[in-house]
Amino acid sequence: MTSIAGHPGIAGRIAEAGANYLSERRGILSWVFTLDHKRIGVMYLVSILFSFLLGGVFALLVRTELLTPRRTIMDADTYNQMFTLHGVVMIFLFIIPGIPAALGNFVLPIMLGARDVAFPRLNLFSYYLYVLGAVFAVLAIATGGVDTGWTFYVPYSTTTNTSVTAVVLGAFILGFSSIFTGINFIVTIHKLRPPGMTWFRMPLFLWALYATAIIQVLATPVLGITLLLLVAERLLRVGIFDPALGGDPVLFQHFFWFYSHPAVYIMILPAMGVMSELVSTFSHKPIFGYRFVALSSVAIAMISFLVWGHHMFTSGQSPLASMIFSFLTFMVAIPSAIKVFNWVATMYRGAIDLKTPMLYALWFLFLFGIGGLTGLFLGALAVDVHVHDTYFVVAHFHYTMFGGVAMAFVGGLHYWWPKITGRMYSELWGRLAALLVFVGFNLTFFTQFVLGTHGMPRRYYNYPAHFTSYHQHSTLGAYLTAAGFFLTAGYLIHSLFRGRRAPANPWGGATLEWQCSSPPPAHNFDRPPPVGDPYDMSRIRYDDAIGGYVTAEVAEPAGAGGGPGR
Amino acid sequence: MATATGTGLLAQGGPTFWMPPQGSTGASAVDWAFYLIYYIAVFFFLVIVGLTAIFVVRYRGRRGARPEGAPSSHLAVELTWTLIPTVVVIVIFTVGLGGFMDISFAPLNAYEIQVVGQKWKWFFQYPNGYVDSDLHVPEGRPVRLVLSSQDVVHNLYIPAFRVKMDAVPGRYTKMWFHATRPGEYDLYCAEYCGTGHSDMVARAVVHPAGQFEKWLESAGNWVEAVPPAEAGRILTVGRPDGSGGRGCTQCHRVDGQAHIGPPLNGLFGHEVTLADGTRVVADENYLRESLIDPQAKIVAGYQAVMPTYKGRLKEREITAIIEYLKSIAGPREPARGAQ
């Protein structure tokens, strides 16, 4: 296995400059019918960024309405639709597909050393299902909106006269998109690893995507069936959940959370994978505790199926069930903690380069740290009863989902941006925007912890006057965060036209995608690339002439990097 | 900002930076658990962020710098930071469990109040049959609430007592608390239930020891003690402090403006057009039917969303409400074709 250790590792780089996956074929049809995982990844990326914008606009409308008690800019029904759409769009159209379908699609085969995913046609089909699901969601907005919250709790959702059916069918279709992507990734990782790419030589991002794909395939069908039953109850008046028809509303909550709790790990696991790549690359040092980080992803994936009842401590479920769910919930905290400690340890005695992606990795540590630790309050039964369904929960899941997943997504976007587009963005503006996002985020959501512990229930249009100043601080923070993201959009778009040409390896990463040119050639690798330790950076040197890193030709003893994989 | 808390001021049950005032015996137990977890969380947060900050400052390398070389795995270290969190979370689980057992099982001698949630109003029924829109409880005595819902899932939440429970249609759920400090506290609906969700609020009034019974006796008889039209006005729009109302004004206004339901002034004795196009005069029987069987006649332009008040209003109260509506009927048109 060490026979390739001294290989220069440029086998994947193609000879002629300019012929890459973007320029190889032109015309709109070359995109519409493309089977190239990189182009599908880019199409996902554009769609997902648009969804993020849409969900963000809804968020700003919600926060603006909450500037004052009672009416500020909209009536109660409109407000209820706004927070529902914010949740539905952000969760189903942005966070769940964000990292796996956009960044994962682009990076996974290259990181693995493969030419494409196992089923390229299925991959394209997943994308169009995503678009179709998004169309249904937009249709729901156009035909009267939805006001159930993203949780669709019955019997409210079966009795309200808004377009629940359209949005639920949209979520159903998006579920299939998610399942197909999951299947594709599982098969790709099992079957398309090139010679030398053993399980424990896979980059941690791939471990994370693999664990995510397993949850997607196992949990999403449950959501699909649940949503179909909901539609059947609405349209055909079949009594499943609505007690007026002989159903049980708490059953719906069990079904819903049986998917939706694992789903939060569908969201966070890929983000953790991105974190492992960012922290290692920008510390120029192998990840600490590779096997623990890799296997903790699998542990999280398994335990995540057994904790759904912690959303229902006040639903009237039996106290015994609540106790068991509480205990299992605490167990899932342990692998998450292991990951965090290993990331921090990776920085120890590194050579830390505070580029924009690394700033987002630091934000992740800070924000996900708060998000994870506030989960301890929610897992503890007696405390959860007090803060359940208050702004404390809202703040908690925004710290994990926005402060965790979205920060890792933006960090990963900046990390792989040169690889995807072949252009470098402005580092100065990147850091400035990152700072703005960080300050704005904390102003927005830290105040919500205090609102929550003082008893402010979530999904409230009107609120007692003594909460006003907290809400106003939170709204101000939301505007700052939005400004940071608009700035980000500005310099990223600018870089497409004016950005410096990206070198193959601008950051000093050791995983295989940095051995391809930027952007990569259409077929990634002309022959299977030499596979070594994904975090062995001992032979990676900075080259002033090309403004990026190169892999030194000099063969060194395999033990120099002290990395995993042996 | 996590450190600017002013915490540790648990004595006297007053509000702290993190917590509202304590109004029940359970509140101090919950707050104790909260602050224990809080200090554990702050400790771990400072370790993570502190080490990160130190490493970033100490090992900040310029472009192309080489790391100083450190081991990339260490089994003893890994086991240490696996075991310590495991012990910590088991401690937190145990603390949360203890408090939860206390709030899950009510003492046998608890005073029982029936609670019904309905879009978008709470109804509290006392053992003597009296129904109030606010929760009144005695100080120093355990109180058990038996909750149900007329329509969708609601959730009764009293922050000062640190208790919360869903009100689910088709089944009963229970919660209890032991109020310790007389006063008025906020009571919210914490499970999203539609348009008026954030207005589904009430007061939890803790009466000083010995005064609750007196309050209940007078409250149960107040309808008989005032003229019918005045009683009807209170039942419809509530007293200035919000008490006494039965939720009519969540949907109906009395200033001539349409809301979720039609306005109630200028109604009695006037003709109304129904959804099917027929016209009827709003007389005593029409109003009575609208309360007992609201879906029977739907006024044109409105949704059939009003729940029934059958069994929720006594005959005397229905009469009082009709008398009040007569008093705000405005100038009377000649009632053509009535009966």
Side-chain angles (χ1 to χ4, degrees), chain B residues 283-296:
Chain B
D283 60 5
E284 287 89 342
N285 283 320
Y286 169 82
L287 294 174
R288 185 187 156 77
E289 183 187 51
S290 296
L291 287 164
I292 302 299
D293 185 11
Q295 313 294 324

Side-chain angles (χ1 to χ4, degrees), chain A residues 70 76-77 80 83-84 147-149 153-156 159 161 243 248-250 253 283-290 292 313-317 319 322-324 326-327 330-331 333-334 337-338 340-342 344-345 347-355 362 365-366 369-370 373 376-377 380-390 392 399 431 442-443 446 449-450 452-464 466-467 470 537-542 544 549 561-564, chain B residues 1-3 15-21 29-31 33-35 37-42 44-49 51-52 55-75 77-79 81-83 85-90 92-101 103-105 119-120 151-153 155 157-171 173 186-201 303 305:
Chain A
R70 300 202 174 274
D77 287 326
N80 292 342
F83 79 69
T84 301
D147 70 340
T148 59
Y153 268 24
V154 290
Y156 188 80
T159 50
N161 53 13
D248 181 353
V250 181
Q253 298 176 23
S283 302
H284 297 290
K285 199 169 149 281
I287 189 88
F288 192 89
Y290 172 92
F292 282 85
F313 288 160
T314 68
S315 71
Q317 80 180 356
S322 293
M323 288 171 207
I324 294 168
S326 168
F327 183 79
F330 280 113
M331 292 303 107
I334 297 165
I338 291 172
V340 170
F341 292 135
N342 278 297
V344 174
M347 289 186 277
Y348 172 64
R349 299 177 77 177
I352 298 168
D353 192 1
L354 289 182
K355 290 281 196 302
L362 296 178
L365 276 177
F366 187 99
I370 293 177
L373 289 165
L376 299 177
F377 295 87
L381 287 162
V383 181
D384 179 79
V385 169
H386 174 52
V387 292
H388 172 79
D389 264 336
T390 68
F392 190 89
Y399 264 89
R431 292 178 187 179
N442 282 297
L443 188 57
F446 197 83
F449 281 122
V450 188
T453 53
H454 281 274
M456 167 84 204
R458 64 191 286 203
R459 296 173 169 174
Y460 259 33
Y461 167 72
N462 184 19
Y463 55 84
H466 60 267
F467 291 131
Y470 291 115
M537 303 183 181
S538 57
R539 291 177 295 110
I540 293 174
R541 301 272 186 277
Y542 189 75
D544 271 325
Y549 289 78
Chain B
M1 67 187 79
T3 53
T16 64
F17 177 81
W18 284 108
M19 284 291 175
V30 169
D31 290 3
F34 177 88
Y35 277 106
I37 301 169
Y38 177 76
Y39 288 117
I40 291 173
V42 168
F44 277 97
F45 180 73
L46 290 179
V47 168
I48 293 164
V49 171
L51 283 177
T52 302
F55 293 165
V56 165
V57 172
R58 172 71 183 77
Y59 303 115
R60 174 118 185 250
R62 289 199 50 78
R63 199 164 52 190
R66 309 297 301 168
E68 295 176 24
S72 65
S73 68
H74 194 290
L75 187 64
V77 171
E78 296 283 352
L79 290 180
W81 66 42
T82 303
L83 283 177
T86 306
V87 172
V88 168
V89 296
I90 288 175
I92 294 176
F93 164 74
T94 314
V95 168
L97 180 64
F100 184 68
M101 298 298 276
I103 59 177
S104 291
F105 301 101
K119 294 178 191 171
W120 291 283
D151 37 46
V152 299
V153 181
N155 180 303
Y157 175 35
I158 307 168
F161 299 168
R162 317 284 192 265
V163 290
K164 182 182 283 134
M165 182 51 81
D166 280 4
V168 185
R171 64 167 68 178
T173 53
D186 290 333
L187 184 155
Y188 302 114
C189 175
E191 184 64 63
Y192 174 70
C193 58
T195 311
H197 172 49
S198 63
D199 293 322
M200 193 166 163
V201 296
Q303 301 284 327
V305 294

